[in-house]
Amino acid sequence: PHRKVTKICCIGAGYVGGPTCAVIALKNTHIIVTIVDVNPTRIAAWNSDSLPIYEPGLDAVVKECRGRNLFFSTDVDKGILEADLIFVSVNTPTKTQGVGAGYAADLGYVEAATRRVAEVATGDKIVVEKSTVPCRTAQSMRVILEANSRPGIHFDILSNPEFLAEGTAISDLMCPDRVLIGSLDTPAGRSAAASLADVYAGWVPRNQIITMNLWSSELSKLAANAMLAQRISSINALSAICEATGADIDEVSYACGLDSRIGPKFLKASVGFGGSCFQKDILNLVYLSESLHLPEVAAYWKQVVEFNEHQKKRFLHRIITCLFNTLTAKKITLLGFAFKADTGDTRESPAITLAKYLRAERAHITIYDPQVTEDQIWLDLSEPGVVDDIESLKKQVTICNNKYEACEGADAVVVCTEWKEFKMQKDPADTRGMDWTRVYEKMKKPAFVFDGRLILDVHRMEEIGFQLESIGRPGKGFRRSKDWE
Ligand code: UDX
Ligand code: UDX
Ligand code: ADP
């Protein structure tokens, strides 16, 4: 008979810990869930009406549970002390210096949180690694816990990777494809896994709660993200062939996706993938492979990230070529700055890379995004440590909070994020879409639009008068030269 969990503590109130534990609280009214974080501003925001992250549906979940069985606090020790199950959901950024810099995960936050658990706990705990971590991190956590705990206290370590995607976090959590729980193959390990499985069984069908060994669970998370990113790099590599041959990447994706062995999802060509996970997890996998003396395996996965960088550069080159080989002093408007729609998150957003490239070409950049804060954009574009950078940055970059004003007088508009509000409005009464005729009238001619997300229809845009250049489709120049029209 395994232990019934009644109190959960989550260390780390971020994009993963916050929504995950909010849904756990929603679906398990008998469990008290406390989310703790060392960042008081973040906790204050979680306790306020404007939550620290934008995620559709999250507000309603938090509103229903907060103060009932969901609490946010900066008192990490109290959270640890009271809980029988602790999620460790802290940040694991890529190391920027030292051994493995640029590849390996910085596990400093995981280690600090684990040490805290060991020092504070006065009773047995189940400790769950929720952050995406390199394979065998659970082992390190176990050693830290056992070496630093009070005598007689027993810890069980579980790996329970989270598969939610930003922008759809709440629906992903409500109806997950699977819940993965990794444990040691010992009676204590299996019993701890059963305790955590019960928590998820509050709303997830039992046959979708999968238990396996710890290392498989840790590696599965890295593998799933690596394969998803690989699909995007594959389709983006094909998009380059499409642009050069006259094939259309949407048609190619559709045709491939109909093969049930391939499937239709995650085949949308784009200016490149972003987000906090894909690049980081692949680089983790590359580092792991190299550490295991498997250089061919490392090279295989590394190419997925390298091609993603190439895709962004390719898009920039297309912009430069179309704009008569110079961007100096031209107004280029970026529509969207988040790494994908329905999130305010900009981590590894392709728009950041693109804006930096455009800056180097001496363009004047105007940026509009419905969710990303102005401060965040300044932070993303400034180079840390360069003193006068922010001054020159502000001379070259304008942030605008109206999408139409942002496009006024522009030489080119570049769609970087697939926000619904950038799609062509269905009819003049449709206020959720974009009135592209209005945009056209106020732009410099020829009016260029570069669609990095394949959300705009070539024919309708050309009817208005635009020259639309989309990823994965030959541009007008190509079509004209081949006499295809
Ligand atoms: C393939 C395509 O499947 C088919 O659509 C196309 O028309 C022709 O090429 P085929 O080569 O006959 O068909 O067999 P397939 O079942 O695809 O297997 C190809 C190779 O991949 C085999 O050696 C198979 O053993 C191997 N394979 C397949 C794996 O190693 N792992 C798998 O999961 C699937
Ligand atoms: C991802 C995984 O999907 C999720 O399971 C994991 O838990 C965390 O990492 P996330 O990064 O939030 O989630 O978003 P995702 O929807 O996967 O998109 C990642 C990037 O790929 C975005 O920049 C998106 O625009 C891009 N993308 C996605 C494409 O370019 N084409 C696609 O077809 C899908
Ligand atoms: P993720 O996307 O993985 O959720 P975030 O960066 O959004 O990552 O969130 C991680 C959170 O963990 C941050 O709010 C950070 O303040 C918090 N954190 C990091 N280390 C600790 C720690 N030792 N104790 C408590 N909270 C921590």
Side-chain angles (χ1 to χ4, degrees), residues 107-156:
L107 292 174
Y109 301 96
V110 173
E111 181 171 338
T114 308
R115 285 187 184 275
R116 204 67 217 142
V117 172
E119 279 158 31
V120 171
T122 54
D124 295 353
K125 309 276 177 200
I126 299 172
V127 180
V128 185
E129 71 178 352
K130 192 84 190 154
S131 320
T132 306
V133 287
C135 202
R136 300 200 82 97
T137 300
Q139 177 62 16
S140 311
M141 289 170 74
R142 197 156 72 108
V143 171
I144 292 171
L145 287 170
E146 284 170 1
N148 293 284
S149 59
R150 290 158 214 240
I153 294 188
H154 179 78
F155 293 103
D156 286 298

Side-chain angles (χ1 to χ4, degrees), residues 68-141:
R68 180 187 76 187
N69 65 328
L70 176 65
F71 303 91
F72 295 92
S73 163
T74 51
D75 196 341
V76 179
D77 290 0
K78 182 159 172 272
I80 294 171
L81 206 58
E82 292 178 350
D84 21 48
L85 184 145
I86 298 165
F87 285 108
V88 176
S89 185
V90 300
N91 28 338
T92 50
T94 304
K95 279 180 79 171
T96 54
Q97 50 187 12
V99 176
Y103 291 92
D106 180 350
L107 292 174
Y109 301 96
V110 173
E111 181 171 338
T114 308
R115 285 187 184 275
R116 204 67 217 142
V117 172
E119 279 158 31
V120 171
T122 54
D124 295 353
K125 309 276 177 200
I126 299 172
V127 180
V128 185
E129 71 178 352
K130 192 84 190 154
S131 320
T132 306
V133 287
C135 202
R136 300 200 82 97
T137 300
Q139 177 62 16
S140 311
M141 289 170 74

Side-chain angles (χ1 to χ4, degrees), residues 154-313:
H154 179 78
F155 293 103
D156 286 298
I157 310 263
L158 299 175
S159 151
N160 172 221
E162 184 46 63
F163 293 99
L164 67 82
E166 287 174 34
T168 52
I170 299 301
S171 53
D172 291 345
L173 286 162
M174 298 274 197
C175 311
D177 289 340
R178 75 310 207 180
V179 168
L180 202 59
I181 301 174
S183 72
L184 286 182
D185 199 13
T186 59
R190 284 192 296 270
S191 156
S195 298
L196 180 57
D198 280 352
V199 173
Y200 285 103
W203 77 100
V204 180
R206 285 276 179 186
N207 62 0
Q208 278 162 251
I209 305 174
I210 316 294
T211 51
M212 58 177 65
N213 93 39
L214 259 176
W215 327 124
S216 300
S217 167
E218 288 181 326
L219 185 58
S220 298
K221 168 69 188 188
L222 293 181
N225 274 348
M227 287 167 87
L228 288 169
Q230 181 200 40
R231 267 171 89 90
I232 303 170
S233 277
S234 298
I235 209 74
N236 283 345
L238 291 167
S239 79
I241 299 182
C242 290
E243 288 165 35
T245 56
D248 180 322
I249 195 63
D250 270 349
E251 292 180 345
V252 175
S253 296
Y254 177 67
C256 292
L258 287 175
D259 188 321
S260 62
R261 294 168 300 179
I262 298 173
K265 293 181 183 167
F266 248 75
L267 288 180
K268 191 78 181 165
S270 65
V271 54
F273 59 74
S276 67
C277 290
F278 282 177
Q279 178 169 322
K280 183 178 87 179
D281 289 354
I282 290 181
L283 294 178
N284 260 328
L285 205 55
V286 170
Y287 186 71
L288 177 72
S289 309
E290 269 165 7
S291 319
L292 298 171
H293 308 293
L294 302 168
E296 296 82 2
V297 179
Y300 176 80
W301 288 110
K302 199 171 172 183
Q303 188 58 24
V304 172
V305 170
E306 281 175 357
F307 190 82
N308 195 50
E309 288 309 306
H310 175 68
Q311 181 78 345
K312 294 182 257 184
K313 259 188 216 140

